[in-house]
Amino acid sequence: MTVAASRHSSAAPAASLNEQQRAAVEHRSGPLLVIAGAGTGKTMTLAHRVAHLIDCGTPPERILLLTFSRRAAAEMLSRAQSLTRDGGTRRVWGGTFHAVAAHLLRLHGRAVGVQPDFTVLDRSDTADLLNLVRSALTETYERKRFARKETLADIYSRTVNAGAPLREVLQRCFPWCAADRGAIASIFTAYTQRKRASNVLDFDDLLLFWRALMASPAAERVAERFDHVLVDEYQDVNALQAAILAGLHRTIADVFVVGDDAQAIYSFRSATVDHILDFPRLFEGTRIVPLEQNYRSTSPLLAASNAVIALARARHEKTLVAVRPGGVRPQLITCRDELAQSDAVCDSVLRLREQGIALHRQAVLFRTSHHSDLLEIELGRRNIPFVKYGGLKFLEAAHVKDVLALLRVLDNPRDAVSWFRVLQLLEGVGPVHASRLMTSIGVDGAATTPSPLRALVEGDVVVPDAARPSMTALRALIDELSVERDPVPLASQIERIRRFCEPVFARLYGNAEVRLRDVDQLAVLAAASPSRTAFLTDIALDPPGATSDLAGPPLLDEDYLILSTIHSAKGGEWDAVRIIHAADGMIPSDMATGDAASIEEERRLLYVAMTRARDVLEVYFPLRYHRRPRGAGDAHAYSQLTRFIPDGVLGLFDERVAGDQPLSGGGSDAGAGGTAAVDDALRELWAG
DNA sequence: TAGTCCGAGTTTTTT
DNA sequence: ACTCGGACTA
């Protein structure tokens, strides 16, 4: 049996490992670095390693498996499960750095001054709190244009994760905000104070405090939980994460790390390939095992991927060798415009499905979330079910955040951002009244003062007349749900909140019906969590990544096409992969063409996308865009094929033209690209 | 002071 | 196309 085939069968006996993989799996002790190219059986090697450790007698709960997403951890563990003799992987500690940090801080946080019942702020909460803090600082009002709250959150996160001075980060990554450095610094100071007072931690705090924990006297107690640490996708760790691992390594000898510098695509999160390159230096006695046999893609597909990455400026010399012979060449499909592209993709999807490739074995990948907008419409029109990964989250919708804010104040009554949101749900209450109310119920008070929840229910709060009825409703809600003894089950809590939200949504939002259905969805999601706190943590750290808006409740048995940003496609593989918008300005995104390093990252992004394909790879290139990417000018513009597929690489593709007419109209419409398209269409006639 | 309407500026990827 | 802020009205 081949290694690749094991993906579809439940168990792969150790005999199916190649020599390098087996060396990694059976490694005795000390740090090990696996340099694993795309499709070389990295996940399987990790799964075998976990299974091997357990079979050798390591208790599962003494293994720490850090992966890029919780999905990856779950998949890895279920694979390992099928490999172990007694199947006992359920207690392995697995998850993202952030999720594991949250877990450890609930257990050991006190050692570094963290209250164990903290709430986790997600990305948009962070932005909201920064915004709240900014409006409180008058000096910033004097400047007309100021960084948006999301940008502030980006700057903050980047600074913290890189461990670099604000000045440098601003200069390098946010030059247009550099003039506001003073104001930004004071916003960050105030932001930090607010977080501490509210007993909330943002994503970056989770890592910061985990690192602090590893430098504290409690480090022993954390480290002694584990005998082995395994890290996936190591090329995408940042300085903080690398420091945490180094901290663990002080007492845990067996550190097992897997990554591929050619697939580093998270520099915007302050990740650097430096950490994987420096690993052998930092972890003394490291053994390095390269995996170079690609079991995933057929050789013509791999040849094209290799050609794309070979043009990278700096990279580790390693050439992937295809194990799967035969196969067809990748296709480069030139389309008249975006509509033709959507059309061609749908045609191709249906054609392959008729050939027996199920929809969920097919994927469409793109650089940014909205690149699939038109395609989604066309898929909907043709009744092709799909699930989209990445991009707009269900959780970011205002009404979902409203419900979560209600749950959060119940969970952590000092959470100022959530109170601010909750109180403004009341009719006639805006920012000013909300702030006053928060003061009067003591949201900012010390932990020893009475709970703001009780103050709201029992105290004498002053509200505008218009707010009286809705305030009564809110008090009733909080009174019912904040009962300490005899806690109401989470699902009923959400049901109760839903009743409160009905009139509120009707007043605030257009389509209350649809939004209330989302609340039901939330209740379904909540059913999997053991407690309210666990639910709120889970949902912040591992938000439901897929949105399947159109088709109503997704029937899990139903077959569906995968739509995904390239970032979210990391680690995935499909029989057929289509990459759309392969035009310069899309890949590379024209926001990332500033410096050489970001362009290189975009190149790796294309490489990651291409290497997801097993048998079929189609790259789509729309010749013309109706709405210009940005700025004024013509209503439409011609585009260029992505610079990452220059002529030399193009020879590895079959080219064809999609769309009924090569180019519409005549005269002025036909540019240089037009002739090429016509010629290509002609060539296709002769080729057949 | 809340809520609404209008105009302007905007850039992407994720834990 | 979408959010944010300013102006204006009630």
Side-chain angles (χ1 to χ4, degrees):
Chain A
M1 179 168 67
T2 68
V3 171
S6 72
R7 171 160 177 109
H8 299 294
S9 61
S10 58
S16 69
L17 295 172
N18 69 33
E19 208 170 304
Q20 295 163 317
Q21 291 170 330
R22 188 172 13 251
V25 167
E26 293 171 3
H27 172 68
R28 279 305 174 89
S29 74
L32 183 83
L33 169 62
V34 178
I35 298 286
T40 55
K42 166 179 72 92
T43 309
M44 202 203 43
T45 303
L46 265 176
H48 270 93
R49 173 70 177 172
V50 171
H52 176 77
L53 293 174
I54 293 174
D55 280 346
C56 290
T58 308
E61 66 274 14
R62 300 193 55 79
I63 297 173
L64 174 58
L65 173 64
L66 295 164
T67 54
F68 204 73
S69 66
R70 284 194 174 183
R71 259 197 311 283
E75 189 189 334
M76 193 96 63
L77 291 179
S78 81
R79 281 213 226 172
Q81 179 109 42
S82 64
L83 296 169
T84 49
R85 286 192 211 110
D86 55 4
T89 60
R90 292 210 21 225
R91 314 211 38 201
V92 170
W93 277 65
T96 60
F97 273 90
H98 294 84
V100 171
H103 201 153
L104 285 172
L105 287 170
R106 295 220 189 272
L107 295 169
H108 301 287
R110 284 193 196 281
V112 284
V114 171
Q115 299 295 310
D117 56 348
F118 60 84
T119 320
V120 177
L121 292 187
D122 73 13
R123 190 73 180 141
S124 60
D125 301 323
T126 297
D128 286 346
L129 184 54
L130 280 163
N131 196 36
L132 198 64
V133 156
R134 174 174 56 181
S135 11
L137 294 173
T138 48
E139 62 198 280
T140 62
Y141 269 133
E142 290 159 22
R143 293 199 64 86
K144 278 279 191 274
R145 286 190 301 271
F146 201 82
R148 296 170 50 215
K149 59 181 183 180
E150 288 84 5
T151 313
L152 278 178
D154 282 345
I155 298 170
Y156 175 82
S157 190
R158 201 146 176 151
T159 308
V160 170
N161 280 288
L166 178 61
R167 174 202 298 271
E168 259 174 45
V169 172
L170 286 177
Q171 256 165 27
R172 206 178 52 240
C173 311
F174 305 88
W176 67 94
C177 300
D180 292 319
R181 196 175 90 233
I184 293 174
S186 45
I187 290 172
F188 288 174
T189 307
Y191 168 70
T192 308
Q193 284 165 357
R194 285 300 273 278
K195 277 190 300 185
R196 302 298 174 252
S198 303
N199 190 23
V200 297
L201 299 181
D202 62 26
F203 286 151
D204 305 323
D205 286 329
L206 291 171
L207 299 183
L208 284 171
F209 282 106
W210 187 5
R211 186 180 62 175
L213 195 58
M214 296 321 295
S216 78
E220 281 287 311
R221 279 190 290 138
V222 177
E224 74 189 8
R225 289 178 167 273
F226 309 111
D227 295 328
H228 295 273
V229 182
L230 298 90
V231 189
D232 192 13
E233 310 278 11
Y234 197 75
Q235 75 280 0
D236 284 320
V237 300
N238 61 35
L240 264 176
Q241 294 165 319
I244 289 168
L245 193 66
L248 289 166
H249 181 55
R250 279 209 302 277
T251 36
I252 304 167
D254 292 328
V255 174
F256 185 104
V257 156
V258 181
D260 176 11
D261 58 295
Q263 292 184 69
I265 53 173
Y266 277 93
S267 71
F268 68 91
R269 230 166 64 182
S270 295
T272 333
V273 283
D274 294 350
H275 299 118
I276 195 168
L277 301 180
D278 282 352
F279 186 89
R281 202 175 47 73
L282 206 65
F283 294 78
E284 218 173 300
T286 294
R287 180 172 169 205
I288 302 178
V289 176
L291 301 183
E292 293 179 313
Q293 291 182 51
N294 179 301
Y295 295 92
R296 181 184 296 149
S297 310
T298 58
S299 57
L301 302 192
L302 190 62
S305 307
N306 278 341
V308 164
I309 201 67
L311 296 175
R313 281 214 171 163
R315 78 191 183 96
H316 261 248
E317 265 325 312
K318 71 175 171 304
T319 311
L320 290 182
V321 181
V323 168
R324 300 181 60 207
V328 294
R329 282 155 48 103
Q331 298 216 0
L332 183 86
I333 297 150
T334 304
C335 309
R336 194 178 64 242
D337 54 19
E338 292 174 273
L339 285 168
Q341 175 181 252
S342 302
D343 234 33
V345 168
C346 290
D347 290 345
S348 162
V349 166
L350 292 175
R351 193 170 57 241
L352 288 193
R353 184 171 64 173
E354 266 162 38
Q355 288 171 20
I357 303 181
L359 291 180
H360 71 273
R361 299 296 314 151
Q362 305 189 40
V364 181
L365 309 182
F366 33 86
R367 172 66 175 85
T368 70
S369 182
H370 68 260
H371 280 174
S372 66
D373 291 352
L374 268 177
L375 177 63
E376 287 175 46
I377 293 170
E378 185 60 21
L379 288 167
R381 217 175 53 76
R382 298 206 200 183
N383 286 321
I384 303 174
F386 64 90
V387 175
K388 180 173 171 179
Y389 290 91
L392 309 173
K393 301 274 164 38
F394 168 63
L395 297 176
E396 277 164 26
H399 57 289
V400 177
K401 290 175 71 177
D402 293 339
V403 174
L404 291 176
L406 278 159
L407 285 171
R408 281 176 150 172
V409 297
L410 291 166
D411 200 56
N412 174 5
R414 316 253 166 225
D415 182 341
V417 207
S418 299
W419 272 116
F420 196 57
R421 185 171 193 105
V422 164
L423 293 172
Q424 289 182 83
L425 292 176
L426 306 179
E427 190 164 15
V429 175
V432 175
H433 274 121
S435 301
R436 277 191 206 151
L437 280 165
M438 284 163 64
T439 311
S440 82
I441 61 176
V443 172
D444 292 327
T448 48
T449 56
S451 164
L453 291 171
R454 318 235 16 202
L456 185 78
V457 174
E458 291 157 17
D460 207 12
V461 291
V462 186
V463 290
D465 284 348
R468 269 168 210 253
S470 43
M471 178 54 101
T472 308
L474 179 65
R475 281 173 141 172
L477 173 76
I478 287 180
D479 192 28
E480 274 177 57
L481 297 186
S482 64
V483 188
E484 276 293 325
R485 50 200 200 93
D486 194 36
V488 186
L490 187 54
S492 331
Q493 291 181 42
I494 295 179
E495 172 52 33
R496 179 64 184 83
I497 288 173
R498 189 198 136 109
R499 252 190 291 146
F500 169 80
C501 289
E502 254 171 77
V504 176
F505 287 1
R507 179 172 54 87
L508 290 178
Y509 309 117
N511 43 354
E513 277 297 306
V514 184
R515 292 177 188 254
L516 284 167
R517 236 178 289 136
D518 282 347
V519 180
D520 296 332
Q521 194 88 14
L522 211 53
V524 173
L525 231 52
S529 291
S531 72
R532 187 168 60 200
T533 308
F535 174 61
L536 290 172
T537 306
D538 284 353
I539 212 159
L541 293 173
D542 187 27
T547 49
S548 51
D549 23 17
L550 292 164
L555 307 166
L556 287 181
D557 294 339
E558 198 186 335
D559 194 20
Y560 46 83
L561 177 70
I562 306 294
L563 265 50
S564 175
T565 58
I566 299 174
H567 283 90
S568 295
K570 171 193 262 284
E573 70 170 23
W574 293 274
D575 293 340
V577 167
R578 299 175 189 79
I579 300 168
I580 56 175
H581 292 292
D584 233 62
M586 303 303 197
I587 311 177
S589 161
D590 52 13
M591 284 138 230
T593 47
D595 60 297
S598 4
I599 292 175
E600 287 308 302
E601 179 148 316
E602 298 283 309
R603 187 195 308 279
R604 292 192 294 269
L605 215 40
L606 179 63
Y607 174 71
V608 167
M610 290 174 71
T611 51
R612 301 306 98 197
R614 285 173 51 83
D615 300 301
V616 175
L617 175 62
E618 294 173 348
V619 177
Y620 290 80
F621 163 53
L623 261 181
R624 206 166 66 159
Y625 284 87
H626 288 288
R627 48 178 163 77
R628 259 171 103 75
R630 67 182 171 141
D634 284 340
H636 54 73
Y638 285 94
S639 55
Q640 303 252 301
L641 178 61
T642 173
R643 68 186 76 178
F644 303 136
I645 306 184
D647 286 346
V649 179
L650 206 50
L652 297 167
F653 286 79
D654 283 340
E655 292 183 68
R656 87 183 150 80
V657 173
D660 24 7
Q661 291 89 37
L663 267 182
S664 65
S668 61
D669 237 13
T675 336
V678 171
D679 293 348
D680 284 345
L682 288 173
R683 203 184 310 154
E684 230 206 0
L685 290 177
W686 296 316

